[in-house]
Amino acid sequence: MVIDAEVEKKEIIARYRRLLRKAKPILNEGDARLIKRAFTIAMEAHKDMRRKSGEPYIFHPLSVAEICVEEIGLGTTSIIAALLHDVVEDTDIQLKDLERIFGNKIARIIDGLTKIRGVFEYGTSAQAENFRKMLFTLSEDVRVILIKLADRLHNMRTLDSMPRNKQLRVSSETIYLYAPLAHRLGLNAIKTELEDLYLRFTDYAVYREIADKIDDTRASRNKFIKQFVQPVKEELDKLNIEYEIKSRPKSIFSIYNKMRKQNIPFEEVYDLFAVRLILETPLEQEKSYCWQVYSIVTDYYTPNPDRLRDWISTPKGNGYESLHTTVMAKNGQWVEVQIRTRRMDEIAEKGYAAHWKYKDTNATHESNLEKWLVRVRELLEKQDLSALEFVDDFRGNLFNEEVFVFTPKGELKTLPNGATALDFAFDIHTDIGAKCIGAKVNQKLVPINHTLKNGDQIEILTSSKQKANEDWLRFVISPKAKSKIKELLKEDKRNLVEEGKELLARKLKQLKIDANSQVFEQMRAYFNVNSQFDLHYRVGKGTITLNDLKRFKDFKPSSPLKTRPLEQVDVKAIEQEIKAKGRQEDTLLIGEDMDVVEYKLAKCCTPIPGDDVFGFVTVNEGIKIHRTTCPNATELLANHGNRVIKAKWTSQHEVAFLTGLKVIGTDRVGLINDVSKVISEELKVNMSSLSFKTDQGIFSGEIMLYVNDTRHLEMLIDKLEKVEGVVKVTRFDSRAA
Ligand code: MN
């Protein structure tokens, strides 16, 4: 590549000027000077660095700063921090230098954006550790996470030039943590783009297909919308307020989710788009105007009573306000109509930062976000959580669907959707939760695992004899209840361990066994426990008894005790060995390379040749090959990206691979016979199992069979769909029920 330094320099300056232009309306006196200083430092620090795409590195911080201004609505402090966000991590400049120039606040933000250096223990997750560190700063200053989201967005937009395993890792992290986080902070536009990009990099074929279909249907959709809004528009004009009508198709990712969840093709997704009516009203009259417009819309079109959503009276936890209804158009099609004011629309798109702008007018919703931050802080203060546990709990805090319920005194409580009576009890107080034995929901007695619905009024029943147990963790869903129950159980466990410790000492004495460390080591092996802690626990709990200890005393190990270290597979070492075989790439070839390392195809997603796959180094079972669309892939890649190894199929086709098909159709005599005939006789495919269910004339079947690759599978699906009575044949992702 030929680089023209002069051209490049001009481009850098042009981009810097564009940033300033966009920031101009929000700059105070002296701000421009500070921004220039930050830019100069960043440019100098990164001057010899390039991005994977070959571009000068400084393009990246410039873009991140621009996203902060334009798409999130942040100010000078954030622009400076964004320009400098990679400086400490990647160059010689130290935090204290930046602190001297820009002060403590900006230095703290940059610190939050800087990854932890160093090595992590095997089995822990560097990604999780870094995420936790970032959130520590978040709890002091929300801008850390907003800038981080801008950083992530730009990295996703430019992910094309990254190697495949990095694409998978970054995309998975994005869908696992950053998109939900953007959602939680109300940054809808960014959340949507992150999700779409995730799909683009993990399943390009599907992404392309949906994107193309959205394009193809544009003209007819626009025509339909025009006709649909025409009568409404005439009435709106009479109201004497400014308004705007927008209509956008749903995001590619949300359409994809619908297709997947309901197992339907694109053409059957009925709510492909929503019509949005944005009103310019005085603040005091927002609510009445919105309902007035609702009344206009429903004068022309019949609403579906089950789909009225009033997030104006009770906004969502992330601050979202809007009035939604789904109405029947004249052609028999359901259309979602969203009614909101300009202010609500801005908050819905830009989220947290827009809240600041409307801060005075919006006290209650501000406090909803405040409450969430308080919860995050509480989580962070819990020292005994591992980083992975923390990330898991934190994710639990992000999910946004909520249920609104009431205390006996009529106080409103917001809980995650699906919450149970026990969640509610823990929300009121830990002691109430710990002693909860049941509840009265709307005066009716229900068990503690009863799922709550909107509007329920709940009275908790307690007993001093009640004790938390493991079982509770299976049905509570709020992070608060979960972590409190875990704490209670840990406390119980600690008590048992203490008891067990004393008990064991006494019993060993009784049996005249000398309690030295060698004996403990032998006991550990004999009883197959991981630690002394576990040993004491099991004695305390009574699962290791005096008789067991007697047997241990009489037991003579035939060979010296073996200590079994965890089999540690090192990704770098494997890549090196593959390369040593004289190939250009360090990609694992499935079908070959068995000599280098042992690998197995994952059972959860049954990959076959043609699928996009990656290798994952497990702790005990060597390498597992997963599909990039595997239900488990996201979690693996998001937390343990460093254990991912690139993998692809060799071109050899003689081998057959196990995969699963789901067949749905209308029941008729002889159908099962016809289906299995197509499989085994016509196509000569081996079946490993076949199970059918019939329910009121509808049959559904699951077939596990051996195929060569995805093309082979598609041909098979084609043939099966031609069998009379068969309505749909799909490959299923997971055998897990
Ligand atoms: Mn960056």
Side-chain angles (χ1 to χ4, degrees):
M1 188 170 59
V2 187
I3 295 160
D4 186 330
E6 274 313 301
V7 173
E8 218 163 53
K9 199 156 182 200
K10 271 190 193 144
E11 176 64 23
I12 293 172
I13 299 297
R15 288 185 187 215
Y16 169 64
R17 292 222 173 99
R18 192 172 69 200
L19 169 68
L20 277 187
R21 213 166 40 243
K22 285 177 177 166
K24 199 162 180 220
I26 51 143
L27 295 187
N28 294 318
E29 215 186 306
D31 283 357
R33 197 180 49 83
L34 279 173
I35 293 173
K36 184 165 185 196
R37 185 115 200 240
F39 169 65
T40 317
I41 293 172
M43 189 164 67
E44 184 58 27
H46 292 299
K47 75 169 186 286
D48 297 322
M49 297 166 62
R50 290 190 175 269
R51 304 199 84 210
K52 270 265 159 27
S53 60
E55 291 179 336
Y57 196 87
I58 190 73
F59 281 12
H60 169 63
L62 276 170
S63 303
V64 174
E66 204 176 311
I67 293 170
C68 286
V69 175
E70 195 177 24
E71 296 177 53
I72 309 182
L74 293 170
T76 303
T77 306
S78 307
I79 296 173
I80 293 169
L83 286 171
L84 296 166
H85 81 272
D86 277 334
V87 155
V88 175
E89 193 173 311
D90 297 340
T91 78
D92 294 334
I93 293 181
Q94 289 180 6
L95 203 58
K96 59 177 195 294
D97 305 326
L98 299 177
E99 182 166 357
R100 213 177 45 239
I101 305 169
F102 298 103
N104 178 264
K105 189 177 267 174
I106 286 175
R108 293 292 300 140
I109 294 177
I110 295 170
D111 186 33
L113 294 163
T114 305
K115 283 202 197 98
I116 313 170
R117 260 179 243 223
V119 205
F120 293 90
E121 264 176 65
Y122 201 75
T124 62
S125 160
Q127 283 151 280
E129 298 284 355
N130 276 314
F131 193 75
R132 174 155 73 172
K133 175 181 178 242
M134 186 180 69
L135 287 174
F136 266 114
T137 334
L138 153 85
S139 67
E140 289 167 32
D141 195 322
V142 189
R143 283 174 290 192
V144 175
I145 202 73
L146 297 173
I147 299 167
K148 185 70 198 175
L149 283 168
D151 181 32
R152 178 52 57 129
L153 180 59
H154 186 246
N155 284 334
M156 285 297 285
R157 282 176 182 169
T158 51
L159 204 56
D160 255 327
S161 31
M162 284 294 171
R164 186 69 187 137
N165 55 344
K166 194 142 189 218
Q167 287 180 348
L168 288 176
R169 177 176 73 76
V170 174
S171 304
S172 298
E173 246 180 27
T174 299
I175 205 72
Y176 193 70
L177 283 170
Y178 292 100
L181 194 53
H183 189 201
R184 190 62 192 75
L185 294 169
L187 297 149
N188 188 45
I190 289 181
K191 170 217 159 208
T192 304
E193 188 177 344
L194 287 176
E195 287 175 341
D196 281 0
L197 286 165
Y198 160 78
L199 186 61
R200 193 178 145 208
F201 286 107
T202 48
D203 200 342
Y204 186 72
V206 169
Y207 172 87
R208 199 62 268 160
E209 186 195 328
I210 298 174
D212 287 346
K213 283 186 172 164
I214 290 176
D215 276 347
D216 293 346
T217 49
R218 179 155 321 199
S220 65
R221 190 167 53 239
N222 286 344
K223 195 173 148 218
F224 169 80
I225 290 165
K226 215 173 153 199
Q227 283 170 355
F228 177 83
V229 296
Q230 192 47 45
V232 175
K233 250 175 120 168
E234 280 163 25
E235 292 299 319
L236 284 177
D237 288 334
K238 294 182 197 155
L239 279 182
N240 272 326
I241 51 164
E242 296 284 318
Y243 66 87
E244 187 191 351
I245 298 180
K246 275 198 217 167
S247 159
R248 247 187 292 177
K250 295 245 155 96
S251 76
I252 297 176
F253 184 74
S254 64
I255 293 172
Y256 162 77
N257 260 340
K258 284 223 158 108
M259 290 166 60
R260 223 174 124 111
K261 268 194 202 130
Q262 297 167 23
N263 200 12
I264 48 175
F266 179 87
E267 290 70 24
E268 286 173 30
V269 178
Y270 76 90
D271 48 353
L272 273 180
F273 60 90
V275 172
R276 187 179 298 166
L277 309 175
I278 301 163
L279 319 174
E280 313 263 1
T281 74
L283 192 63
E284 340 49 271
Q285 284 169 289
E286 284 188 321
K287 195 168 167 180
S288 63
Y289 268 111
C290 287
W291 281 104
Q292 211 172 330
V293 171
Y294 171 83
S295 150
I296 292 173
V297 173
T298 51
D299 276 347
Y300 285 92
Y301 303 108
T302 313
N304 180 338
D306 291 338
R307 300 194 53 114
L308 173 65
R309 298 282 180 276
D310 173 12
W311 284 304
I312 293 180
S313 308
T314 29
K316 284 193 189 180
N318 65 357
Y320 184 84
E321 294 171 80
S322 195
L323 188 59
H324 292 193
T325 176
T326 300
V327 299
M328 180 65 80
K330 301 290 181 218
N331 67 347
Q333 191 181 344
W334 288 112
V335 178
E336 182 179 304
V337 182
Q338 307 172 346
I339 304 162
R340 56 173 80 154
T341 64
R342 179 67 62 198
R343 179 189 66 83
M344 296 173 188
D345 191 53
E346 203 164 319
I347 288 172
E349 291 298 319
K350 285 192 179 167
Y352 202 88
H355 272 282
W356 286 344
K357 187 170 150 193
Y358 294 106
K359 200 166 181 174
D360 311 336
T361 65
N362 207 20
T364 49
H365 317 139
E366 182 74 11
S367 76
N368 265 340
L369 279 168
E370 268 311 312
K371 268 189 221 153
W372 176 73
L373 277 175
V374 169
R375 283 211 299 273
V376 173
R377 270 179 213 127
E378 277 174 10
L379 259 182
L380 285 163
E381 275 158 16
K382 258 186 270 143
Q383 296 295 341
D384 57 341
L385 284 183
S386 79
L388 277 172
E389 279 177 304
F390 169 79
V391 169
D392 193 42
D393 274 12
F394 179 77
R395 265 167 49 84
N397 258 308
L398 290 175
F399 292 104
N400 217 37
E401 291 308 313
E402 290 157 332
V403 52
F404 299 101
V405 294
F406 296 93
T407 68
K409 286 192 175 145
E411 194 190 333
L412 178 71
K413 293 269 175 194
T414 312
L415 292 169
N417 201 11
T420 59
L422 189 59
D423 285 297
F424 178 83
F426 273 100
D427 191 71
I428 296 200
H429 198 280
T430 310
D431 295 341
I432 308 273
K435 300 287 170 219
C436 177
I437 52 165
K440 274 185 181 169
V441 170
N442 309 328
Q443 311 300 333
K444 237 183 86 197
L445 201 62
V446 299
I448 56 175
N449 62 356
H450 177 86
T451 306
L452 304 176
K453 288 197 292 294
N454 270 327
D456 278 349
Q457 191 165 38
I458 303 128
E459 184 189 341
I460 294 298
L461 307 172
T462 59
S463 153
S464 59
K465 296 208 176 65
Q466 179 67 302
K467 241 177 131 185
N469 67 61
E470 291 271 344
D471 222 35
W472 289 7
L473 287 172
R474 288 192 301 118
F475 56 81
V476 295
I477 70 158
S478 64
K480 189 172 174 185
K482 256 190 202 161
S483 67
K484 292 288 181 203
I485 293 169
K486 279 188 205 155
E487 256 171 60
L488 290 168
L489 293 173
K490 265 188 198 161
E491 211 178 285
D492 266 5
K493 196 168 178 181
R494 269 196 295 274
N495 292 338
L496 281 177
V497 168
E498 280 307 310
E499 282 169 34
K501 199 172 168 184
E502 281 172 33
L503 207 62
L504 183 65
R506 248 186 291 138
K507 284 180 176 170
L508 289 179
K509 217 170 175 181
Q510 225 176 315
L511 294 168
K512 300 203 167 49
I513 302 174
D514 197 12
N516 59 34
S517 61
Q518 203 194 341
V519 168
F520 273 114
E521 205 39 47
Q522 286 167 352
M523 280 196 281
R524 211 178 53 70
Y526 180 82
F527 293 113
N528 193 22
V529 292
N530 291 324
S531 60
Q532 276 203 28
F533 185 89
D534 281 342
L535 183 69
H536 292 147
Y537 173 66
R538 286 180 53 185
V539 175
K541 215 179 163 201
T543 51
I544 295 176
T545 62
L546 185 64
N547 278 336
D548 292 326
L549 288 169
K550 274 185 192 148
R551 270 195 292 278
F552 164 73
K553 194 190 174 189
D554 300 335
F555 174 74
K556 293 276 173 293
S558 55
S559 64
L561 285 170
K562 275 188 254 168
T563 41
R564 295 160 298 161
L566 290 178
E567 186 196 338
Q568 297 198 1
V569 196
D570 182 356
V571 172
K572 286 259 151 39
I574 297 169
E575 286 176 350
Q576 228 122 66
E577 273 193 64
I578 294 172
K579 264 192 169 163
K581 290 174 79 178
R583 283 210 304 268
Q584 288 295 312
E585 309 171 84
D586 48 8
T587 302
L588 180 76
L589 283 184
I590 307 164
E592 297 177 11
D593 288 341
M594 259 303 185
D595 49 333
V596 178
V597 64
E598 199 178 321
Y599 55 82
K600 287 194 188 93
L601 302 179
K603 284 206 182 78
C604 45
C605 54
T606 52
I608 59 175
D611 285 333
D612 202 357
V613 289
F614 64 94
F616 185 78
V617 180
T618 65
V619 175
N620 287 318
E621 300 172 86
I623 293 181
K624 287 270 167 75
I625 309 292
H626 291 268
R627 292 162 68 187
T628 55
T629 53
C630 170
N632 296 320
T634 316
E635 198 272 332
L636 295 177
L637 292 161
N639 284 326
H640 307 286
N642 56 335
R643 292 206 242 146
V644 171
I645 182 156
K646 282 167 277 178
K648 64 182 184 203
W649 304 92
T650 46
S651 44
Q652 55 164 9
H653 270 194
E654 304 92 71
V655 202
F657 295 85
L658 188 66
T659 194
L661 282 181
K662 195 172 196 133
V663 182
I664 291 173
T666 50
D667 199 20
R668 68 169 171 82
V669 181
L671 186 114
I672 298 173
N673 200 17
D674 289 353
V675 167
S676 43
K677 229 173 167 173
V678 168
I679 295 173
S680 47
E681 285 177 26
E682 269 189 57
L683 290 160
K684 307 253 180 298
V685 169
N686 269 329
M687 271 189 285
S688 109
S689 70
L690 173 75
S691 65
F692 274 94
K693 264 199 315 257
T694 312
D695 183 22
Q696 304 192 10
I698 302 293
F699 84 80
S700 61
E702 286 185 1
I703 312 168
M704 297 301 295
L705 37 71
Y706 289 92
V707 295
N708 295 333
D709 56 22
T710 41
R711 272 176 50 208
H712 188 196
L713 186 69
E714 274 158 28
M715 192 174 81
L716 184 64
I717 291 175
D718 240 35
K719 286 253 179 185
L720 284 175
E721 282 189 334
K722 293 209 176 89
V723 174
E724 193 200 327
V726 171
V727 175
K728 180 172 285 171
V729 182
T730 43
R731 177 174 178 190
F732 57 84
D733 287 323
S734 171
R735 273 208 283 172

